[in-house]
Amino acid sequence: QHQQHQQHQQHQQHQQQQQKYDIIPRGTVVSLKGLVNAPDRNGDKGIIQQHNSQTGRYIINLSEDEGSSAEGRDKKTMSIKAANIQQHIQVKCHNIQHKIELNGTTGTIVSWATSNGRYCIYITSLKELVYLLPGNVILANGTVAQIHGLQSKPELNNTFGTIKEWIRDTNKYDIQLSPQQVIRVKVENVRV
């Protein structure tokens, strides 16, 4: 336990020395997706423990099911690529035309439906799952997200950055990619 504490302190010191805008923060709740070598683990939930800068992977502490046996309750960790992680973050619904009562409500992203390009979101107040396009979902400032589908700067596609601000008038995000670089991107070109 002392070693874990030392590692945690070293991790915090390293973060303070050099802030990374493209790293999903420790403690973020996630689920696994698209795993080929361990398909039975797709959908499993966990928490990001750390990012390994050498491998570019995240160490995820996986949650055990409540029904699992006492001896099976040991924490299981896996080393996972960012592409195989779905962040479960709070979002706000925005500019929805077909169900206007959803506008302004908050929910939690549960999954990404590749087939129709929509987030599956659990709306807490309604106790209901809804599927929304990225353009109808506002991610919170500080969220680390990935850029997709840029035509003007295709070299930035698949790049991660930290959302600094959502600009309501243009429905775009300012995304910090490095200490020197902030870009403005349409909401529909950003995913978690």
Side-chain angles (χ1 to χ4, degrees):
Q1 196 173 28
H2 177 70
Q3 186 181 9
Q4 282 181 331
H5 181 70
Q6 279 183 321
Q7 288 174 340
H8 178 70
Q9 282 182 324
Q10 289 170 349
H11 178 73
Q12 283 182 324
Q13 288 169 353
H14 178 72
Q15 277 188 322
Q16 289 168 356
Q17 289 170 358
Q18 183 180 12
Q19 184 176 2
K20 293 281 193 174
Y21 298 99
D22 59 344
I23 305 298
I24 301 168
R26 174 188 172 107
T28 302
V29 177
V30 298
S31 61
L32 308 182
K33 64 177 185 174
L35 297 175
V36 176
N37 292 332
D40 57 315
R41 285 299 198 171
N42 288 324
D44 284 4
K45 281 180 98 173
I47 296 173
I48 292 179
Q49 180 182 345
Q50 69 183 45
H51 180 260
N52 182 330
S53 56
Q54 262 112 33
T55 63
R57 292 173 176 248
Y58 291 89
I59 307 301
I60 311 290
N61 275 341
L62 295 172
S63 308
E64 294 298 328
D65 291 339
E66 285 136 30
S68 53
S69 62
E71 63 269 7
R73 286 195 181 265
D74 292 339
K75 283 279 185 205
K76 169 83 173 137
T77 62
M78 288 183 78
S79 177
I80 305 291
K81 295 177 194 172
N84 298 111
I85 293 173
Q86 175 63 63
Q87 296 180 64
H88 293 264
I89 58 168
Q90 286 263 266
V91 296
K92 188 179 222 177
C93 301
H94 166 74
N95 199 27
I96 301 166
Q97 306 301 316
H98 65 285
K99 278 186 118 179
I100 57 172
E101 67 275 12
L102 289 176
N103 290 320
T105 60
T106 58
T108 304
I109 292 176
V110 176
S111 63
W112 172 257
T114 307
S115 61
N116 64 3
R118 296 172 190 259
Y119 291 114
C120 177
I121 300 169
Y122 180 74
I123 306 295
T124 314
S125 62
L126 302 175
K127 295 184 170 98
E128 179 182 322
L129 287 173
V130 296
Y131 289 85
L132 299 176
L133 293 166
N136 297 120
V137 174
I138 305 305
L139 305 171
N141 294 348
T143 300
V144 175
Q146 191 174 32
I147 298 168
H148 285 274
L150 288 185
Q151 303 293 315
S152 61
K153 294 188 177 192
E155 69 277 7
L156 293 178
N157 287 329
N158 301 317
T159 301
F160 283 86
T162 299
I163 295 173
K164 300 303 287 176
E165 182 181 10
W166 171 59
I167 297 92
R168 177 185 282 279
D169 295 344
T170 59
N171 203 24
K172 293 183 179 185
Y173 293 113
D174 279 349
I175 299 179
Q176 185 104 36
L177 299 178
S178 70
Q180 303 82 19
Q181 187 179 18
V182 176
I183 63 167
R184 191 160 284 177
V185 180
K186 291 177 185 174
V187 171
E188 52 268 20
N189 293 113
V190 178
R191 289 196 207 130
V192 291

